[in-house]
Amino acid sequence: MTPLKFDIKMAESFRDVLVAEFERRKERRSAYSLRAYARDLGVKPTSLSGIFKGRDGISRTTAEEIAKRLSMSAEQSAYFLDLVESQHSRTALGREQAKKRLQAYHKKICFEELKGNTSSLFDEWYYTAVLELITLNHGNVDIERFAKSLKISRSEVKKALVSLENLGTISASADRFVRNKFFLKAKSATPSTTLRKFHKQLLKMGSQAIDDQSIEERKMLNSIISVDKRRLNEARDWLTKMHEEFMSEFATSENATSVYGFGLQLFKIAEEQK
């Protein structure tokens, strides 16, 4: 079997994983049936039908076999088993512990280095904003609502969807999208026209937010300080680490409802003093 493609961390239940994988296979082979899928998973067709309808659960032993047959990675397998245990563990303690582990998974941020044409993800600020809205809406897309929420045009939402799909950041699955990549970061110090444009866009929007948004909706922290230039790289690294810790704490909340812009600023405003 081919390895599992579905981004398992977007699943709310183990059924989501199984349904998404079935839909993917069905798209590749229209004749692929639920019976064939049950055979590939090593379960009875009636059991799989009950799972899809939300009537039946599965045991940990069955979950382990399914994870093996779907060629899940170790991380995918652990997450899948916890999805099963959080709903169908025989004990309340087992269910509670699995739920806590799932919450911990969602606080883990995976940063992927920008490579090749992936930097074009930042061609326009609203590309990543649309990506976050897709995540908040569990893969469902409402172009009209997205446009209204971000104060952009419908055509810009459509442009973002096309770009995200072309980059492999999202992929279509039945009537929704699956997020394949989470957070991208540039490790190189090489200047990039695309990233400079992206930062300028966010700075401009942040400046406008000072006038348009209440203090309760925003937080601006700026200071003018004296810095030992010999420690500038250390300061940059410190800010990078702080940024990633902030993202891990707040950017993966399962109860998220809104999309916010977030940035840290450290820049020279006067020439070095002797």
Side-chain angles (χ1 to χ4, degrees), residues 51-79:
I51 291 170
F52 272 34
K53 293 177 180 178
R55 293 197 311 258
D56 301 332
I58 57 176
S59 67
R60 182 180 179 87
T61 301
T62 300
E64 289 174 344
E65 180 62 24
I66 289 175
K68 182 179 178 180
R69 286 174 175 255
L70 289 180
S71 301
M72 292 186 189
S73 66
E75 185 178 21
Q76 287 175 329
S77 180
Y79 193 87

Side-chain angles (χ1 to χ4, degrees), residues 1-202:
M1 281 191 178
T2 58
L4 184 72
K5 299 294 184 183
F6 177 64
D7 180 7
I8 200 167
K9 289 187 178 181
M10 288 188 68
E12 295 183 357
S13 75
F14 77 95
R15 293 181 186 85
D16 291 344
V17 180
L18 299 183
V19 170
E21 178 62 14
F22 176 67
E23 290 173 348
R24 184 181 75 87
R25 296 180 182 208
K26 187 78 172 174
E27 288 175 0
R28 296 177 61 187
R29 289 185 289 160
S30 59
Y32 191 72
S33 65
L34 198 65
R35 182 175 292 275
Y37 190 41
R39 177 202 63 216
D40 291 341
L41 294 180
V43 300
K44 295 179 180 179
T46 52
S47 298
L48 186 58
S49 177
I51 291 170
F52 272 34
K53 293 177 180 178
R55 293 197 311 258
D56 301 332
I58 57 176
S59 67
R60 182 180 179 87
T61 301
T62 300
E64 289 174 344
E65 180 62 24
I66 289 175
K68 182 179 178 180
R69 286 174 175 255
L70 289 180
S71 301
M72 292 186 189
S73 66
E75 185 178 21
Q76 287 175 329
S77 180
Y79 193 87
F80 181 69
L81 293 177
D82 278 333
L83 286 173
V84 172
E85 293 277 88
S86 67
Q87 292 179 291
H88 301 292
S89 175
R90 293 183 178 181
T91 67
L93 178 61
R95 293 191 294 273
E96 185 62 29
Q97 289 177 335
K99 288 177 181 177
K100 287 182 178 180
R101 288 193 296 271
L102 289 173
Q103 291 172 353
Y105 289 140
H106 283 285
K107 287 199 170 185
K108 290 181 181 178
I109 289 281
C110 294
F111 289 92
E112 183 178 332
E113 187 176 357
L114 288 172
K115 294 178 181 178
N117 68 340
T118 53
S119 63
S120 59
L121 175 63
F122 302 101
D123 279 347
E124 300 291 347
W125 68 269
Y126 55 81
Y127 287 5
T128 49
V130 168
L131 180 60
E132 290 304 315
L133 286 178
I134 291 173
T135 305
L136 290 182
N137 288 275
H138 307 291
N140 298 306
V141 172
D142 185 328
I143 293 176
E144 186 71 38
R145 188 157 58 86
F146 282 15
K148 185 177 181 180
S149 176
L150 297 175
K151 297 179 181 179
I152 61 177
S153 67
R154 289 167 53 90
S155 62
E156 286 175 320
V157 175
K158 293 177 182 178
K159 179 183 176 183
L161 292 172
V162 171
S163 297
L164 291 170
E165 193 164 12
N166 287 341
L167 288 168
T169 307
I170 59 173
S171 57
S173 177
D175 60 345
R176 66 175 181 167
F177 285 95
V178 174
R179 183 168 180 169
N180 302 319
K181 298 179 185 292
F182 274 76
F183 297 98
L184 295 167
K185 68 175 181 179
K187 288 187 176 180
S188 172
T190 304
S192 163
T193 301
T194 297
L195 292 178
R196 284 202 301 267
K197 176 184 175 183
F198 178 76
H199 290 314
K200 288 177 181 179
Q201 288 176 331
L202 289 188

